[in-house]
Amino acid sequence: MREKFAELFPHGDIEHYSDLLFETFDNDGNGTINFQEFVKALSILCRGTMDEKLDWLYKLYDPKEKGEITWDRLFYVITSMDDLMGRHAKPHHTREQKCERANQVYAKFDIGKKGKITKQDFFKVCKTDRTILNSISALYTLLPG
C-alpha cells in the first residue's frame, strides 16, 4: 500500500496515512489485508449506503472501535493528511495551525461538549453538513467502480 501512495504523493510523507488506511482495511486486525477485505472496503466506498460509508470513515478515526474519537486521534489524522500532501503543499500548515484546525473540527463534532466524539455525533454532523456529504458522495467518481 505504501508503494502506491509513494507513487501518488511523491513529495509527501506517506507513512502515517497509509498506516491509517491499512488499519481501516484490515477488518480482522491480523496485520494483513486479504482480497476479501480489500474488495469489501472498495465496495463500501464506491457503492455502499451513506451509513456504510460513514461507518467505514468512522473506523479511520476509531480503529480500535472504542466508541469515541479523541482529540489526539483527530489531530493525528489531520497531521497525517497534511504530511501526505508534502512540505511543498500550499499552504503549508504549522503545528499551531494544525492544532487550531483540530480544535475547530473537534468542537463541531463534539455535540454537547462531552470531551469526546461519539459515533452518533459523528454520523449526525456528517449527515447534516453539505460539504461532508458532497465529499463522501464524490467517492464513487474518484474510485474505480
Side-chain angles (χ1 to χ4, degrees), residues 3 18 24 26 28 31-32 35 45 53 57 63 74 84 101 103 112 117 123 126-127 129 132-133 135 143:
E3 292 81 22
S18 59
T24 308
D26 182 18
D28 59 12
T32 63
F35 184 71
L45 293 173
K53 291 176 183 181
L57 186 58
L74 179 68
L84 185 65
R101 178 70 181 137
N103 288 337
I117 300 171
F123 271 56
C126 287
K127 286 182 173 184
D129 185 294
I132 295 171
L133 287 172
S135 296
L143 296 173

Side-chain angles (χ1 to χ4, degrees), residues 47-62:
R47 294 197 167 83
T49 65
M50 184 58 69
D51 280 351
E52 289 171 329
K53 291 176 183 181
L54 289 174
D55 194 54
W56 189 91
L57 186 58
Y58 185 83
K59 189 177 177 197
L60 183 73
Y61 293 91
D62 182 18

Side-chain angles (χ1 to χ4, degrees), residues 27-119:
N27 289 326
D28 59 12
N30 71 351
T32 63
I33 300 171
N34 64 35
F35 184 71
Q36 184 178 7
E37 290 170 321
F38 181 75
V39 170
K40 181 180 179 183
L42 287 183
S43 177
I44 289 170
L45 293 173
C46 292
R47 294 197 167 83
T49 65
M50 184 58 69
D51 280 351
E52 289 171 329
K53 291 176 183 181
L54 289 174
D55 194 54
W56 189 91
L57 186 58
Y58 185 83
K59 189 177 177 197
L60 183 73
Y61 293 91
D62 182 18
K64 305 287 186 215
E65 299 183 50
K66 294 180 179 181
E68 66 181 49
I69 300 170
T70 64
W71 185 93
D72 290 336
R73 181 64 179 196
L74 179 68
F75 180 75
Y76 180 75
V77 173
I78 288 172
T79 300
S80 297
M81 286 190 262
D82 279 355
D83 291 348
L84 185 65
M85 303 322 298
R87 297 185 196 276
H88 303 297
K90 302 290 184 214
H92 179 72
H93 298 110
T94 65
R95 179 172 173 73
E96 292 76 25
Q97 289 170 318
K98 292 174 192 178
C99 284
E100 182 55 35
R101 178 70 181 137
N103 288 337
Q104 291 170 354
V105 172
Y106 205 82
K108 178 177 185 169
F109 280 86
D110 182 13
I111 298 172
K113 308 301 178 225
K114 299 178 292 291
K116 63 183 177 181
I117 300 171
T118 64
K119 192 172 190 178

